[in-house]
Amino acid sequence: MENANKNDSLGLSLNKKTMAMISLVLVVILAFIGFLTQTLPRGEYQIIDQDGHEAIVDGTYTVLEDYKMPLWKIILSPILCLGSSYAGTGVAIIGIIVLIGGAFLILDKCGILKYIMATLIKKYSNKKYTLMATVLFVCMALSSTAGVLEESITLVPIAVAVSLALGWDSLVGLGLSLVSIAWGFTAATFNPFNVVTVQKLADLEVFSGLWLRLIVFVGVYVILFLFLYFYARKIEKDPTKSLVYESDRALREKFTMTDTEAILGNDNIRKGTRAFVTCILIDAIFIVLDFVFSLGGVLSLPAMGILFTVGGLLAGHFSGLKGKNLATSFFKGAKTIAPAIPLIVFVIAISYVLNEGKIMHTILYELNNAMHGVSPFIAIFILFAVIAVLEFFIGSGTAKAFLIMPLVAPLSDLVGITRQSVVTTFCLADGFTNLLYPTSGIMIIAIGLIGVSYGKWIKWSWKLFLLEFLFSAAIMLFMVAINYK
């Protein structure tokens, strides 16, 4: 088959320079956290089991005079962390991205990606900003309601390919996929990982206060759409103004759709595409079930890896890639994504050192003290900052909620902040920082796939972060002013 043999450099690939730079940043962060474990006071709160999760008991902080994390544990943390409680999600992400790497090479090699792009371009070539608005809304709604995040990594290469084919750049593709889904957490409405969990910990009725969260959703959506719209228009007028113009050159050639009708007329590719899309739709069912039954990814994460792989293999089979060639292509694709594994391990190691070093509770204790006796208008910004700082070390919204809510919920009553305001502030800060730090495993993989350095990512996105912070600040001040309940 022609499509199966024409290009050996298909599928996903991680930019080596980007991976090297991010690795260096993570090593420096790990060393800095290790330094803090040796210099800051060590201490801990009493921990109790609450609904199957660990929760802090306020007023029980104790300084550990005789404890200091051994240096050898810091040095060996990338190995030791794999046996810690932090390893579960990281190992799952590693498994998923490796499987996705194998499946994507098959999809690319057989022309499935081009078929999907050709279909979208044929339908939306004259109304591509309608497509942009629709994709943004669907992706944000998925994370705002069901808490989809890790699953978004599967959308990045497809969104980037479509974006390039429509005359935009890979950063717009990233905005259409990962950014929109991550910021859906900021605009959480029914999200089980932050809204439900935090409201339960704050002794509030689940899903109460929805009216304001809907306003937040609309505001975040408008900001993100306008940011991408004006940037995409600028790139259309002059592609050289793209921050990734040079790195996108090869991708633009690869995804130039000069043979749209030939691709759409190929029956084998159409059958393969249908098989792949069917598997993705089945995966969507598992995501919905995960949300309805509040399973925390138990169904959706494994289903994503398995169904994406099965879909890729079936697509390859129906498109004409079979037997040894199919298996070889899959393992070659998996191999190209493997360099991301050490990065995920370093992210896990940072959380491991922070926990083993017994300084996290010390940081919480000092920040907790800082909120006593201050104006509610200032206190709510301190709360936002606390959550934003914790995101650097703890990516999981649920884990952060159980770590700080036992302290913050009763304290908010004393400083004049309603508990409903605490819930929304938590969502704003958690979502705002999902893609800000180099300790976000999903973010570093995504920018690695499109060959963007962390510095260039911040250079492109800083205005978006600033707009989102200003919007969040206005919402927080409004909540305090109206005594939001």
Side-chain angles (χ1 to χ4, degrees):
M1 169 180 168
E2 184 181 353
N3 284 330
N5 299 307
K6 66 180 180 179
N7 195 339
D8 291 329
S9 60
L10 300 169
L12 303 180
S13 60
L14 293 166
N15 183 276
K16 293 180 180 179
K17 183 178 179 181
T18 298
M19 293 295 99
M21 289 302 295
I22 295 177
S23 296
L24 179 61
V25 170
L26 292 175
V27 169
V28 171
I29 291 171
L30 181 59
F32 177 68
I33 298 300
F35 171 76
L36 292 181
T37 65
Q38 306 300 300
T39 55
L40 291 181
R42 276 72 61 189
E44 61 183 5
Y45 284 95
Q46 181 183 337
I47 303 292
I48 60 172
D49 183 86
Q50 185 172 329
D51 297 328
H53 296 273
E54 292 183 343
I56 286 175
V57 179
D58 193 14
T60 61
Y61 177 78
T62 305
V63 176
L64 302 174
E65 299 285 358
D66 300 325
Y67 177 81
K68 182 181 288 188
M69 185 177 185
L71 287 175
W72 67 268
K73 278 193 172 184
I74 299 173
I75 295 171
L76 296 179
S77 58
I79 299 173
L80 297 175
C81 70
L82 297 177
S84 70
S85 59
Y86 296 98
T89 301
V91 171
I93 292 174
I94 288 171
I96 288 169
I97 62 173
V98 169
L99 291 174
I100 289 172
F104 255 106
L105 188 137
I106 294 172
L107 295 174
D108 202 354
K109 200 169 189 178
C110 295
I112 305 297
L113 290 182
K114 281 204 170 186
Y115 186 93
I116 294 172
M117 287 186 294
T119 302
L120 290 171
I121 290 168
K122 185 175 182 180
K123 187 173 182 179
Y124 290 101
S125 59
N126 295 323
K127 45 184 178 180
K128 50 189 173 182
Y129 289 100
T130 300
L131 176 64
M132 173 186 281
T134 303
V135 170
L136 283 180
F137 180 81
V138 171
C139 289
M140 274 191 61
L142 276 173
S143 55
S144 177
T145 56
V148 171
L149 181 58
E150 286 82 3
E151 293 87 345
S152 64
I153 198 68
T154 61
L155 301 177
V156 171
I158 295 176
V160 167
V162 171
S163 176
L164 291 169
L166 290 173
W168 302 328
D169 67 4
S170 55
L171 289 172
V172 174
L174 197 61
L176 288 171
S177 50
L178 181 69
V179 177
S180 61
I181 286 182
W183 281 26
F185 273 73
T186 299
T189 50
F190 301 101
N191 191 317
F193 304 114
N194 48 19
V195 173
V196 175
T197 300
V198 179
Q199 286 190 324
K200 284 182 176 179
L201 292 172
D203 294 324
L204 294 171
E205 181 182 347
V206 173
F207 301 137
S208 59
L210 179 61
W211 68 271
L212 183 60
R213 294 199 301 278
L214 290 174
I215 292 175
V216 172
F217 182 93
V218 173
V220 172
Y221 173 79
V222 170
I223 290 170
L224 183 53
F225 173 75
L226 290 177
F227 178 83
L228 290 177
Y229 173 82
F230 286 113
Y231 178 76
R233 290 293 297 269
K234 182 177 74 172
I235 298 307
E236 280 185 5
K237 292 177 181 177
D238 185 359
T240 61
K241 290 186 177 180
S242 167
L243 291 176
V244 290
Y245 177 73
E246 292 298 329
S247 58
D248 273 357
R249 272 187 171 179
L251 289 174
R252 287 183 187 278
E253 293 176 6
K254 177 178 176 180
F255 293 125
T256 298
M257 297 302 298
T258 56
D259 52 351
T260 299
E261 295 303 324
I263 290 286
L264 292 176
N266 189 310
D267 287 337
N268 289 335
I269 296 178
R270 181 167 61 249
K271 290 177 182 178
T273 303
R274 286 177 178 174
F276 173 69
V277 171
T278 299
C279 287
I280 296 303
L281 292 176
I282 295 172
D283 184 35
I285 294 173
F286 281 101
I287 291 174
V288 172
L289 290 174
D290 214 317
F291 166 64
V292 171
F293 295 104
S294 301
L295 298 178
V298 172
L299 280 179
S300 63
L301 287 178
M304 179 182 64
I306 294 169
L307 288 168
F308 208 94
T309 303
V310 171
L313 293 173
L314 287 175
H317 175 78
F318 286 123
S319 300
L321 190 66
K322 300 178 180 180
K324 184 179 178 180
N325 287 335
L326 182 63
T328 301
S329 296
F330 180 83
F331 287 112
K332 184 177 180 180
K335 185 179 177 181
T336 62
I337 208 77
I341 295 175
L343 301 184
I344 302 297
V345 171
F346 272 111
V347 170
I348 300 170
I350 289 168
S351 296
Y352 169 80
V353 171
L354 194 70
N355 184 61
E356 286 290 309
K358 305 293 184 183
I359 59 172
M360 177 59 79
H361 288 189
T362 299
I363 295 171
L364 282 176
Y365 174 74
E366 294 300 333
L367 291 172
N368 193 29
N369 289 339
M371 288 181 66
H372 279 287
V374 299
S375 161
F377 289 98
I378 296 175
I380 200 166
F381 280 95
I382 294 176
L383 173 60
F384 182 94
V386 169
I387 299 164
V389 169
L390 287 179
E391 176 71 22
F392 187 88
F393 309 106
I394 305 172
S396 167
T398 303
K400 284 196 296 292
F402 275 92
L403 184 64
I404 69 170
M405 284 307 295
L407 295 175
V408 170
L411 180 61
S412 65
D413 299 333
L414 297 176
V415 297
I417 302 174
T418 66
R419 296 194 176 196
Q420 201 69 262
S421 299
V422 172
V423 173
T424 302
T425 300
F426 184 95
C427 295
L428 291 170
D430 176 59
F432 173 80
T433 49
N434 263 329
L435 302 180
L436 180 60
Y437 305 130
T439 50
S440 168
I442 294 297
M443 183 269 288
I444 61 176
I445 292 170
I447 66 173
L449 290 175
I450 63 175
V452 176
S453 67
Y454 178 69
K456 193 170 287 187
W457 157 247
I458 294 298
K459 184 178 180 180
W460 178 73
S461 62
W462 74 267
K463 292 179 182 177
L464 187 58
F465 282 113
L466 177 60
L467 289 171
E468 198 63 30
F469 173 74
L470 294 174
F471 176 72
S472 298
I475 292 294
M476 289 188 290
L477 292 174
F478 176 70
M479 290 190 296
V480 174
I482 67 168
N483 202 34
Y484 169 53
K485 294 182 180 179

